[in-house]
Amino acid sequence: MNTNGCILVADDEEIMREVLLELLSSESYTVEQAENGTQALEMIRNRDYGAVLLDLMLPDMNGLQVLEELNQLENRPEVIILTAYASIEKAIKATKLGAFDFFEKPFKNDKLLQAIKNALEHRRLLEENRRLRKTLHDRYSFHNIIGKCDRMQQVFDLISQAAPRRSTILIQGESGTGKELVAKAIHASSGRITAPFIAINCGNIPSDLLESELFGHVRGAFTGATNTKKGLFEVADGGTLFLDEVTTISLEIQSKLLRVIQEREFRRLGGLENIKVDVRIIAASNSDLHAAVRQGIFREDLYYRLNVITIQIPPLRERPQDIPLLTEHFIKKYSEENQRDNIGMDPSAMKALMDCQWPGNVRELENVVERAVVLSTGNTITPDLFPNNISTPPPETAFLLSEDPVSLKEKVGNYEKSLILAALDRTGWNQKKAARLLSVNATTLNEKLKRLKIKEP
Ligand SMILES: Nc1ncnc2c1ncn2[C@@H]1O[C@H](COP(=O)(O)OP(=O)(O)OP(=O)(O)O)[C@@H](O)[C@H]1O
Ligand SMILES: [Mg+2]
């Protein structure tokens, strides 16, 4: 039984195929043969070969064309080119197209065997890498929500446990932490996926409009109500209604909401008929709902009705370990959108993102990464592509407000110095880049360095 892997020999010369068959079989490889490019491609599409020994001159197409076709496959075998008509140009072209190695016939058996061994090892590593990335991705992502830290993993668990039930869910978290994303994930993993997910931002709609928006109205219910209109509770029937910024809802509408949750029925504005609906309510707020109850602007009974299951999403500054994964996710998203590939992140840029406090949370990080991807001209994102508030550290307020008898002028001078040092540090003491970060021109920066006696350590 052959065990070392399966290799395809694609050569039109029978004698060549036989030589290779003998050589490779003696090294415990399984060997199959193709006489032309079309046959080789067909065989590769149907079987998982570790490597292909590919002749450059095939009767129907040349080896480089075969290689180009193979590059369309997701997990293609490694390709070793064999040719009787070697030239530097061909070898360069083959390498550019991703050939693993290039041999001129006649070749040395031991050299070829070594190249095959290396090629198979290379493919094994690539595969392992791909598998690892996939497991990592699956483990740290849930319906497009990325999160590696324990608290986000708990959010994922809560979503999975709560989604199939009917109970109302309250999502709390600062602006931009992903409340709507979580609400959509709950909808997607509930049995309601084929019914609508309707989101409404209660904070954006005046109170009287909100009422008719949610519950609908009958013709003549108020001036201007020329037609009967369904409310969102009816539109979302069978599905999910996401009420964003619930704390802004007036006390009057809150009591109507309480009734729908308890009775699962309501009346349109001006209507007499009770309408029954099956709607799962997910409420969200970026301020503390319990505090709103204490202030008397939110009904306590409604609070308890909404708060059956609470999902608290932590702010980004409390989970910096999620920043690299989120950044990778957004680089991928925006590179694809902008038809750019292989964009990477300079370590100093990643450090700047990790050091930031992110008052706008994941939304702000997403915008910063999108901007950097769009502005980058090369393949690497560097800190100068970030807005100033990201690439410059926040003011050291403790130092600014110290009670030492230091004049304002001196404090400002010290602060200026610390900003300049931070910019130089972040750009590896590249004055041009540091000047750009600080939005001053390079000569001004140079003068300041002299005046403040700043020297590279
Ligand atoms: N964990 C995450 N993984 C991937 N993308 C995220 C994550 N959290 C938020 N986002 C993205 O950030 C943006 C803001 O998210 P979302 O609108 O859900 O936030 P929000 O909490 O509802 O904000 P607001 O309170 O301002 O309405 C969206 O583009 C969303 O896709
Ligand atoms: Mg939102």
Side-chain angles (χ1 to χ4, degrees):
M1 184 73 199
N2 292 306
T3 51
N4 275 349
C6 192
I7 293 172
L8 180 67
V9 174
D11 203 308
D12 56 331
E13 267 183 86
E14 197 180 347
I15 181 88
M16 195 66 222
R17 294 200 304 271
E18 273 169 14
V19 166
L20 287 166
L21 178 69
E22 197 170 317
L23 174 70
L24 298 177
S25 304
S26 69
E27 294 290 319
S28 299
Y29 291 108
T30 306
V31 186
E32 292 187 357
Q33 308 174 36
E35 293 173 19
N36 55 50
T38 321
Q39 195 188 359
L41 284 170
E42 172 78 20
M43 291 174 78
I44 293 165
R45 286 195 185 102
N46 289 313
R47 181 163 185 181
D48 186 32
Y49 297 98
V52 184
L53 303 185
L54 184 62
D55 185 22
L56 260 193
M57 300 285 250
L58 292 164
D60 53 343
M61 55 207 292
N62 75 45
L64 296 180
Q65 286 169 317
V66 176
L67 185 51
E68 266 176 278
E69 289 279 324
L70 287 181
N71 282 339
Q72 310 296 318
L73 303 180
E74 199 174 303
N75 188 14
R76 70 155 170 82
E78 292 296 343
V79 173
I80 296 176
I81 304 271
L82 303 176
T83 180
Y85 309 96
S87 72
I88 293 284
E89 293 78 45
K90 279 183 198 150
I92 291 177
K93 184 134 193 243
T95 318
K96 272 198 176 146
L97 284 172
F100 187 80
D101 218 331
F102 191 95
F103 281 84
E104 189 173 357
K105 295 175 191 170
F107 44 79
K108 291 216 162 65
N109 286 354
D110 55 340
K111 291 245 164 72
L112 181 67
L113 286 173
Q114 188 58 49
I116 292 173
K117 226 172 148 183
N118 294 348
L120 293 179
E121 176 62 7
H122 182 244
R123 185 161 186 268
R124 194 187 63 73
L125 286 176
L126 278 183
E127 245 170 63
E128 197 174 288
N129 222 328
R130 197 173 299 133
R131 222 181 23 248
L132 250 168
R133 282 182 90 97
K134 184 161 165 24
T135 3
L136 268 184
H137 186 266
D138 289 350
R139 185 164 348 138
Y140 297 140
S141 126
F142 185 87
H143 290 280
N144 269 334
I145 314 172
I146 309 291
K148 176 179 179 213
C149 68
D150 289 350
R151 285 170 73 191
M152 285 308 286
Q153 293 284 309
Q154 283 162 12
V155 168
F156 295 171
D157 290 345
L158 257 179
I159 296 176
S160 317
Q161 286 162 8
R165 316 225 183 106
R166 195 185 175 280
S167 31
T168 304
I169 296 182
L170 174 65
I171 306 174
Q172 296 230 113
E174 290 179 12
S175 183
T177 44
K179 295 185 292 297
E180 185 153 348
L181 207 56
V182 167
K184 284 182 181 153
I186 295 169
H187 177 73
S189 33
S190 71
R192 297 171 176 261
I193 178 84
T194 50
F197 171 88
I198 307 281
I200 175 166
N201 186 333
C202 306
N204 282 347
I205 303 174
S207 191
D208 44 345
L209 262 181
L210 180 65
E211 191 172 2
S212 100
E213 201 56 35
L214 289 174
F215 306 107
H217 59 250
V218 297
R219 193 173 155 199
F222 48 85
T223 335
T226 47
N227 285 310
T228 295
K229 186 182 156 231
K230 278 187 180 180
L232 294 181
F233 269 101
E234 277 173 87
V235 179
D237 196 14
T240 307
L241 184 61
F242 176 55
L243 300 173
D244 206 354
E245 293 197 33
V246 272
T247 41
T248 61
I249 298 178
S250 70
L251 285 164
E252 192 195 341
I253 301 182
Q254 285 176 31
S255 62
K256 276 194 119 173
L257 208 52
L258 184 66
R259 193 177 123 84
V260 200
I261 295 175
Q262 282 172 340
E263 316 290 335
R264 300 184 190 180
E265 62 177 30
F266 66 95
R267 285 183 195 162
R268 290 182 186 145
L269 249 77
L272 297 171
E273 181 199 354
N274 283 332
I275 299 171
K276 281 211 166 298
V277 281
D278 167 28
V279 173
R280 203 253 181 93
I281 295 179
I282 304 179
S285 167
N286 52 26
S287 56
D288 181 359
L289 205 55
H290 197 236
V293 172
R294 284 196 300 269
Q295 287 163 28
I297 55 169
F298 205 83
R299 289 180 68 118
E300 191 167 18
D301 45 8
L302 179 58
Y303 170 73
Y304 286 115
R305 277 288 170 178
L306 292 179
N307 195 14
V308 181
I309 297 169
T310 301
I311 299 182
Q312 185 77 45
I313 312 181
L316 189 55
R317 66 181 168 281
E318 288 176 14
R319 46 182 168 116
Q321 67 272 47
D322 284 352
I323 292 176
L325 272 183
L326 282 162
T327 304
E328 198 182 308
H329 172 75
F330 294 133
I331 290 185
K332 188 162 177 282
K333 177 174 170 188
Y334 291 104
S335 310
E336 277 168 15
E337 250 178 44
N338 293 286
Q339 280 120 39
R340 305 274 309 271
D341 46 28
N342 290 329
I343 295 193
M345 195 80 170
D346 190 83
S348 62
M350 186 56 86
K351 185 171 182 311
L353 298 184
M354 300 276 292
D355 287 348
C356 184
Q357 289 295 300
W358 301 113
N361 291 296
V362 185
R363 179 183 289 115
E364 188 183 6
L365 173 66
E366 179 169 0
N367 292 342
V368 166
V369 174
E370 178 184 6
R371 177 179 186 273
V373 168
V374 171
L375 294 182
S376 66
T377 44
N379 279 344
T380 311
I381 292 179
T382 43
D384 53 311
L385 295 169
F386 298 151
N388 281 347
N389 60 325
I390 305 298
S391 41
T392 334
E396 285 278 351
T397 43
F399 142 77
L400 280 175
L401 301 176
S402 73
E403 287 175 6
D404 300 341
V406 179
S407 70
L408 178 65
K409 192 170 169 208
E410 198 176 331
K411 279 185 181 169
V412 172
N414 286 342
Y415 184 45
E416 183 180 30
K417 191 168 173 178
S418 71
L419 282 178
I420 293 175
L421 280 169
L424 287 165
D425 207 33
R426 214 162 262 183
T427 54
W429 286 77
N430 179 325
Q431 286 192 27
K432 236 178 168 172
K433 283 188 180 167
R436 219 177 312 152
L437 269 186
L438 295 162
S439 303
V440 294
N441 64 42
T443 34
T444 314
L445 178 64
N446 194 268
E447 278 160 18
K448 283 183 190 292
L449 295 184
K450 282 185 199 140
R451 182 168 53 80
L452 297 165
K453 301 195 175 58
I454 297 177
K455 286 206 183 88
E456 188 168 351

